[in-house]
Amino acid sequence: MTAAALRYATQRLRVGTLHLPPPPTRLALRPSSVRHVTTGALAQVRPQPSLPGHLAPVPVPVPAPVPIPVQAPPAQLVSPLSTSRRDRVREARPFSDFLTDTFDRQHDYLRISVTERCNLRCVYCMPEEGVPLSPSQDLLTTPEIVLISSLFVSQGVTKIRLTGGEPTVRRDILPLMQQIGALRPHGLRELCLTTNGLSLHRKLDAMAEAGLTGVNLSLDTLDPWQFQIMTRRSGFAAVQKSIDRILELNRAGAGIKFKINCVVMRGVNDREILPFVELTRDKDIEVRFIEYMPFDGNKWSKGKMFSYQEMLDLIRSKFPDLQRGAGLKNDTSKTYQVPGFAGKVGFVTSMTHNFCGTCNRLRITSDGNLKVCLFGNTEVSLRDILRQWNNGQPIDQEVFESIKQLAMNEGGPIPSPSRAPLLAPNSEQLLDIIGMAVKRKKAKHAGIGQLEHMKNRPMILIGRQSQPSQQQWHPVGIVLPNPQPRSMLAKNFVTGLLNHTSTSHSGYQLRLFSTGARQNRGSEEGKPVADAQKLTHVSKSGAAHMVSISSKVPTSRVATAKCAVRFSDPLLLTLVRENQMKKGDVLGVARVAGIMAAKRTPDIIPLCHPIALTHVRLDLTPVDAPREDSSRDGSSGGGWIEITATVACDGKTGVEMEALTAASAAALTVYDMCKAVDKGMVIEGLRVVLKEGGKSGRWVEGKPA
């Protein structure tokens, strides 16, 4: 066989389009076996897309069954026909390429949000009345969660964590855990839960029987009165009961890994750090202190964030012999222990010391979107693709049972330890989408200055009850009006989707935070959302044009924009502040450049109206870097120049673009005049922070509209 033919055959084998003869019977359970799930019978009854004038789907013949490659389970979980370590090493298969990104990170940990609901109303999380919930048909059903779990386990995922919202409020959480726990013979090693503990004690025993191996309990205070103030609910005693029950089961040999997650916020609960450490003196618990992270609507600010180094210094002030423990490759926390204490403490340092290089986690939101990064705002809907073969309808238990029956008719009882887990009929399409999404995962998430201003889901809609929001963000999804061949999915749709280059891809429509029933409530003016939120600079035909303002009434308008130029060399800030740069007065020249740019905005931004400005002000403020900033992301902590541009006019349209242009030009001027000294400068955080005047009135960053 030539090299080209070998590469072609290998590629066909990887995506499941190469038929192989069945392996010898005696090797059926060896770790190296490539197990297949046949989808032919399911495809034969799959409805085809209706053409204009057709009243109902017409079944059409399909090709021979297509096997889907399934990752073999870990050697210790299969029948030990080959017990030799040498044999296991020789027969080992590489990790699934679909779950391996371009930085060779293997994603064997899947987090699934099973609900948006929560039975607490934390003051930093969401309003007392709750948040608008998605219609039930937009959320994943139990069979859909099981099918997605099975697909990921078949590709090598060994750990699944169920999150929320609050997962214990889901009515069928126990049957769901039992079905996911049944994947253990196929490679699943850990089934974990993240919970607030309020109702856990009532379901914990049954969960343990279903295969629960780990619990992360979110608790931000040990004071019952403070708990009621922070959560707007009186449930501390119930949470304590859950903690006691976990410890009791572990003393009986349950072996549940138990961690308490505490989000630390300056001035709110930072005084609780030492009491939490004391909790580990006699209890086998790992308390993990989490740096406060920014998500939409949680009013994050750098001043509220209590950094890892500050927490460590505080603990060592009382426990100077605190020792760093040995960690595992994919640990998200840095683990420490006070000598003689039964438990441990850990620090999740997403903000100051990211652990992106060893990230092995993927997330499925409650509405079925795949997030490859917690801080990323790009999502791909697996729900819509999964439902495609079911005419876009949710897969309920009846449909799920029909899938089982068809699989049984083809190849025997499902599930069975000797067979692969039951997969969806269109698992090949799902794998293509998953694989391409994983391949687009970046080396690391944005830095602290960018995260503060990036749009992202509230945390409650991602998968944990800590830190969500009051804003009504909606999931990214994909409308699939016309099912297409798998090759078209891969070539035309996914590439454009993940590049975000267009809102339309060969019949597939990308929807960013849209299409839920919540969107159809209309705008404040009573117009349909589709009309109220359309792009004003785009005509119905898609052509760009200038908006007419002839009918508008002139009003007093003001806009303020901000950005920063961050230095990597500490010397540079001193030179700028003391006006010692060879090119001259950096701050003065940048101020003039910003003013000039504001007046020339229509010449730079094509669709902006010429406006007679009444005032332009540029403030450039040198800011010294805080002490802990010197270790973040490899930066040397050189400080930054904070730029604020305020523009005003009496006119018919706003001056936001003029303010943004002024701030941008000032930042570029600073960069140009300082680049000889510091080539590691970063311009970041450009945004509008204030807008006044016009029909919409006053808007301030971080405050409800």
Side-chain angles (χ1 to χ4, degrees), residues 362-513:
L362 299 173
R363 288 173 168 82
I364 304 293
T365 63
S366 58
D367 52 359
N369 287 347
L370 172 66
K371 285 180 71 75
V372 297
C373 176
L374 173 64
F375 294 106
N377 52 18
T378 301
E379 304 176 3
V380 180
S381 176
L382 302 185
R383 177 202 66 197
D384 291 344
I385 301 172
L386 182 63
R387 294 178 180 178
Q388 180 184 351
W389 67 273
N390 195 37
N391 284 333
Q393 297 303 310
I395 300 175
D396 56 20
Q397 193 61 35
E398 182 179 357
V399 177
F400 188 60
E401 292 300 327
S402 68
I403 299 176
K404 285 185 178 180
Q405 187 61 45
L406 288 170
M408 291 174 64
N409 293 341
E410 278 206 342
I414 296 288
S416 167
S418 62
R419 294 175 57 88
L422 180 66
L423 302 184
N426 56 350
S427 292
E428 290 180 81
Q429 292 181 358
L430 286 168
L431 285 177
D432 278 335
I433 301 299
I434 293 167
M436 290 193 176
V438 171
K439 291 293 187 293
R440 296 288 179 135
K441 185 170 182 177
K442 298 179 180 179
K444 63 179 182 178
H445 62 66
I448 188 171
Q450 294 170 290
L451 285 176
E452 180 180 0
H453 309 294
M454 285 178 58
K455 286 297 182 185
N456 195 6
R457 286 178 181 241
M459 194 60 164
I460 198 168
L461 299 182
I462 295 177
R464 197 187 70 201
Q465 67 276 7
S466 298
Q467 310 173 34
S469 107
Q470 305 177 11
Q471 295 182 349
Q472 300 180 17
W473 284 110
H474 304 275
V476 173
I478 304 154
V479 179
L480 300 173
N482 296 304
Q484 296 186 12
R486 173 168 156 249
S487 59
M488 293 295 291
L489 277 169
K491 183 177 180 181
N492 295 338
F493 163 59
V494 181
T495 301
L497 167 66
L498 296 178
N499 279 329
H500 278 197
T501 56
S502 173
T503 57
S504 178
H505 306 281
S506 303
Y508 297 88
Q509 179 185 352
L510 170 65
R511 61 179 196 250
L512 293 176
F513 303 106

Side-chain angles (χ1 to χ4, degrees), residues 20-170:
L20 296 177
T25 303
R26 70 182 187 87
L27 297 177
L29 297 179
R30 293 176 67 91
S32 62
S33 300
V34 178
R35 299 174 299 168
H36 298 82
V37 174
T38 306
T39 62
L42 295 172
Q44 293 177 20
V45 300
R46 188 184 312 164
Q48 300 300 311
S50 299
L51 297 174
H54 286 194
L55 298 179
V58 179
V60 297
V62 296
V66 179
I68 298 174
V70 180
Q71 189 77 9
Q76 66 268 29
L77 296 178
V78 299
S79 181
L81 296 180
S82 175
T83 58
S84 165
R85 180 179 181 276
R86 179 180 299 175
D87 287 344
R88 291 199 301 272
V89 171
R90 184 176 64 250
E91 300 289 348
R93 296 183 60 212
F95 190 80
S96 170
D97 184 61
F98 293 106
L99 302 185
T100 304
D101 66 16
T102 56
F103 302 96
D104 292 326
R105 292 175 295 199
Q106 298 177 347
H107 297 79
D108 58 1
Y109 178 9
L110 181 67
R111 300 173 63 97
I112 306 176
S113 174
V114 298
T115 182
E116 295 176 346
R117 298 179 181 272
C118 186
N119 47 7
L120 294 180
R121 296 292 182 268
C122 300
V123 294
Y124 57 87
C125 178
M126 59 179 171
E128 187 172 4
E129 66 275 11
V131 294
L133 300 175
S134 299
S136 58
Q137 65 267 23
D138 289 351
L139 302 178
L140 292 177
T141 65
T142 292
E144 289 168 345
I145 294 175
V146 173
L147 287 172
I148 290 176
S149 300
S150 300
L151 180 62
F152 277 92
V153 169
S154 76
Q155 296 303 306
V157 164
T158 59
K159 180 178 180 179
I160 291 178
R161 178 177 298 279
L162 303 182
T163 68
E166 171 50 42
T168 61
V169 304
R170 184 175 174 121

Side-chain angles (χ1 to χ4, degrees), residues 566-571 573 623-640 678:
R566 185 176 294 275
F567 301 148
S568 63
D569 188 345
L571 174 63
L573 191 64
V623 181
D624 292 308
R627 181 174 59 86
E628 66 270 19
D629 197 50
S630 62
S631 60
R632 189 185 67 244
D633 297 334
S635 169
S636 60
W640 62 89
D678 185 1

Side-chain angles (χ1 to χ4, degrees), residues 594-605 608 611 613 658 661:
I595 295 172
M596 293 177 63
K599 296 188 290 184
R600 301 298 297 271
T601 298
D603 298 331
I604 303 172
I605 310 298
C608 282
I611 300 176
L613 303 180
E658 283 72 14
T661 304

Side-chain angles (χ1 to χ4, degrees), residues 500-635:
H500 278 197
T501 56
S502 173
T503 57
S504 178
H505 306 281
S506 303
Y508 297 88
Q509 179 185 352
L510 170 65
R511 61 179 196 250
L512 293 176
F513 303 106
S514 67
T515 73
R518 290 173 291 178
Q519 268 197 311
N520 299 324
R521 297 176 179 176
S523 67
E524 294 179 357
E525 300 176 0
K527 298 179 181 179
V529 172
D531 294 331
Q533 295 184 351
K534 67 182 181 181
L535 297 175
T536 57
H537 288 77
V538 180
S539 67
K540 292 182 179 180
S541 64
H545 69 101
M546 180 177 283
V547 177
S548 174
I549 59 174
S550 58
S551 61
K552 292 187 176 182
V553 178
T555 60
S556 177
R557 299 171 182 265
V558 179
T560 300
K562 284 189 174 185
C563 68
V565 182
R566 185 176 294 275
F567 301 148
S568 63
D569 188 345
L571 174 63
L572 184 54
L573 191 64
T574 301
L575 295 176
V576 170
R577 183 180 280 135
E578 297 177 0
N579 194 12
Q580 297 296 316
M581 295 295 295
K582 289 184 177 180
K583 287 190 175 183
D585 182 2
V586 173
L587 302 182
V589 174
R591 186 177 297 109
V592 173
I595 295 172
M596 293 177 63
K599 296 188 290 184
R600 301 298 297 271
T601 298
D603 298 331
I604 303 172
I605 310 298
L607 301 182
C608 282
H609 292 84
I611 300 176
L613 303 180
T614 59
H615 178 67
V616 180
R617 175 175 175 174
L618 267 293
D619 294 313
L620 291 88
T621 307
V623 181
D624 292 308
R627 181 174 59 86
E628 66 270 19
D629 197 50
S630 62
S631 60
R632 189 185 67 244
D633 297 334
S635 169

